[in-house]
Amino acid sequence: MLIASAQPSRMVNCDLKITNIEAFPVSYPLPEGDSVTLGIGRAVKRDAVVVKVTTADGIVGYGESHHGRSVIAIATLVNTTLRHLVCGMDASDVVGVWAHIYKMQLGSHGMGAATSMAMSGIDMALWDIRGKAVGWPLWKLLGGQRKGIRAYAGGVALGYQSPETLVEEARPLVEQGYRALKVRVGDTVKHDTERVSAIREAFDDQLTILTDANCGYTVQDALDVMPVLDANRVQWLEEPFPAHDYRSYQEARGFGRVRFAAGENHYTRFEFNHLLNEAAVSYWQPDLSKCGGITEALRIAAMASAHKITINPHSAMSGINMAATIHFLSAIENPGYFEADAAKTNFLRDRLVKTPYQVDAKGEVWALDRPGIGVEVDEDFIKAYPATDGPAYI
């Protein structure tokens, strides 16, 4: 049952009072052959929280709250506390809704990161409603233009494996048009350097190499791996350490020429302000489904732009967040890469919605040109894949 396409194309004078908010936790198991091992373990399932907001005049907006590896808990937070806080407010008042949740929940006793993830899905859905209410795609509503955005092959893919099979998995992605891809590191320094060197040897200068340790390195590991990353002209080393470990980032930032990337596990502009003050991370990676939504991501991007820092969002769960992220990158003045999910199987990308993006021959993606976020959400899929208990990585 496809719902989003049935929305009115133009309802400027409609009643946008929020009448209902529902969060749907969704899970499906990964086939054995599609399970990827990386720095946080072996992926065994995919989770997502789909947020649906309805207005008095029947406009429906969809957003995504990151599951936080606690998919049922995040959905429950939306369906209980946050629903009661927000219902009755005006869907067009994204700043007011954000401020109300901050005052009543996030800024005091509000469960920290969980609230940030939960409110992100609500905020995204409100922006979807705003676009549908005036008949504009999100990139236009945000003041941007539809243009090519550089994409890299990432997501839950290209994990720990032999150098030979990694090159085999990467080759069709390069043939598809990708000019950049992300190699998973954080295993052992020996294995990491072998994989990075194999990718560079196989594709030479036709490919930009990014690396992601998923917080798996010690400071000594970073020191040991950096000469090989430098030699292979790697652009960034993502999250060598946990987000809160500012001291390790400070200590390791002079180990080589390769710059650090981080941000997917930083919540709200207040944590990014700390990141700015530490001055150890050169590429910022807020996730629109985690950082506080589109409203907060715009503030983070503005903060970064004052310091010539590019925004390279993390966006690897469902097609809702992916499509929204491309709109967002099309509307800020400091866009970096879009993270395209290169997983062989991702129902949340391919079945929950239809075609959130396509990569062209230049390795670029383009925002959808339909009202709001522009995706059609299949609620029958949501019903068919209810959330399951247990961790997403083991």
Side-chain angles (χ1 to χ4, degrees):
M1 180 170 62
L2 296 175
I3 293 180
S5 60
Q7 300 306 312
S9 62
R10 191 171 185 85
M11 297 182 63
V12 175
N13 297 316
C14 56
D15 185 350
L16 293 182
K17 183 176 74 173
I18 298 168
T19 57
N20 196 27
I21 298 173
E22 296 177 272
F24 303 96
V26 178
S27 302
Y28 74 90
L30 284 172
E32 186 66 31
D34 291 342
S35 181
V36 175
T37 300
L38 43 137
I40 50 178
R42 182 171 65 87
V44 293
K45 66 169 181 167
R46 285 262 198 172
D47 294 322
V49 177
V50 179
V51 178
K52 177 183 178 181
V53 178
T54 306
T55 71
D57 272 354
I59 301 181
V60 174
Y62 291 97
E64 178 185 345
S65 293
H66 194 276
H67 58 78
R69 300 184 211 163
S70 303
V71 62
I72 296 172
I74 298 298
T76 300
L77 180 54
V78 174
N79 286 330
T80 54
T81 304
L82 299 193
R83 171 191 281 164
H84 290 293
L85 284 175
V86 175
C87 275
M89 297 186 72
D90 192 312
S92 67
D93 185 15
V94 291
V95 173
V97 170
W98 204 100
H100 188 55
I101 296 174
Y102 179 81
K103 177 182 178 182
M104 302 303 296
Q105 184 73 9
L106 182 61
S108 55
H109 302 78
M111 296 181 69
T115 296
S116 185
M117 287 184 275
M119 70 192 293
S120 294
I122 295 174
D123 181 84
M124 194 181 298
L126 297 184
W127 279 98
D128 192 30
I129 288 171
R130 295 180 93 205
K132 289 172 179 175
V134 300
W136 282 8
L138 186 56
W139 59 263
K140 187 172 185 178
L141 192 68
L142 292 171
Q145 63 176 328
R146 192 165 184 262
K147 58 188 177 182
I149 300 294
R150 292 180 302 160
Y152 72 83
V156 186
L158 301 165
Y160 296 165
Q161 53 191 297
S162 70
E164 295 77 18
T165 58
L166 179 63
V167 170
E168 289 175 9
E169 185 176 347
R171 195 172 300 283
L173 297 171
V174 176
E175 292 170 353
Q176 185 179 340
Y178 287 103
R179 307 280 179 88
L181 63 78
K182 188 157 70 178
V183 178
R184 299 290 176 173
V185 296
D187 180 10
T188 68
V189 171
K190 179 178 183 296
H191 291 156
D192 292 346
T193 56
E194 288 173 348
R195 294 187 190 103
V196 171
S197 298
I199 291 292
R200 177 55 71 209
E201 182 178 356
F203 301 105
D204 199 21
D205 286 338
Q206 72 180 113
L207 199 62
T208 296
I209 300 176
L210 314 169
T211 56
D212 186 355
N214 292 107
C215 310
Y217 276 159
T218 65
V219 171
Q220 185 62 50
D221 290 333
L223 178 63
D224 292 342
V225 78
M226 195 59 73
V228 177
L229 300 188
D230 278 345
N232 283 286
R233 305 182 300 285
V234 168
Q235 181 166 325
W236 77 47
L237 172 57
E238 181 176 335
E239 286 199 316
F241 319 113
H244 58 265
D245 189 2
Y246 296 101
R247 181 172 181 176
S248 291
Y249 279 97
Q250 282 286 318
E251 186 175 352
R253 67 176 179 168
F255 286 170
R257 296 188 303 275
V258 174
R259 304 290 186 172
F260 293 141
E264 70 176 87
N265 292 308
H266 289 78
Y267 302 92
T268 77
R269 64 191 182 277
F270 305 108
E271 291 194 4
F272 277 89
N273 188 55
H274 196 159
L275 201 64
L276 180 65
N277 291 336
E278 293 295 329
V281 174
S282 301
Y283 299 95
W284 284 12
Q285 302 173 304
D287 185 324
L288 272 59
S289 70
K290 301 175 82 172
C291 73
I294 294 169
T295 301
E296 191 70 351
L298 291 169
R299 295 163 174 159
I300 292 166
M303 181 190 303
S305 73
H307 300 271
K308 306 300 182 183
I309 297 170
T310 60
I311 299 295
N312 306 264
H314 175 262
S315 57
M317 288 299 110
S318 93
I320 301 173
N321 189 28
M322 295 173 191
T325 296
I326 300 171
H327 285 289
F328 165 74
L329 285 168
S330 300
I332 61 175
E333 66 174 337
N334 50 336
Y337 281 107
F338 167 71
E339 180 177 13
D341 181 30
K344 299 174 185 176
T345 303
N346 184 353
F347 293 171
L348 302 173
R349 177 193 62 202
D350 303 328
R351 292 176 56 181
L352 172 64
V353 300
K354 286 188 176 180
T355 319
Y357 65 88
Q358 291 181 311
V359 178
D360 65 21
K362 294 181 179 180
E364 295 178 339
V365 293
W366 294 71
L368 299 175
D369 202 23
R370 297 187 289 271
I373 294 172
V375 293
E376 298 177 340
V377 175
D378 188 347
E379 292 198 354
D380 288 337
F381 175 89
I382 293 172
K383 295 174 184 176
Y385 292 94
T388 57
D389 289 331
Y393 298 87
I394 59 173

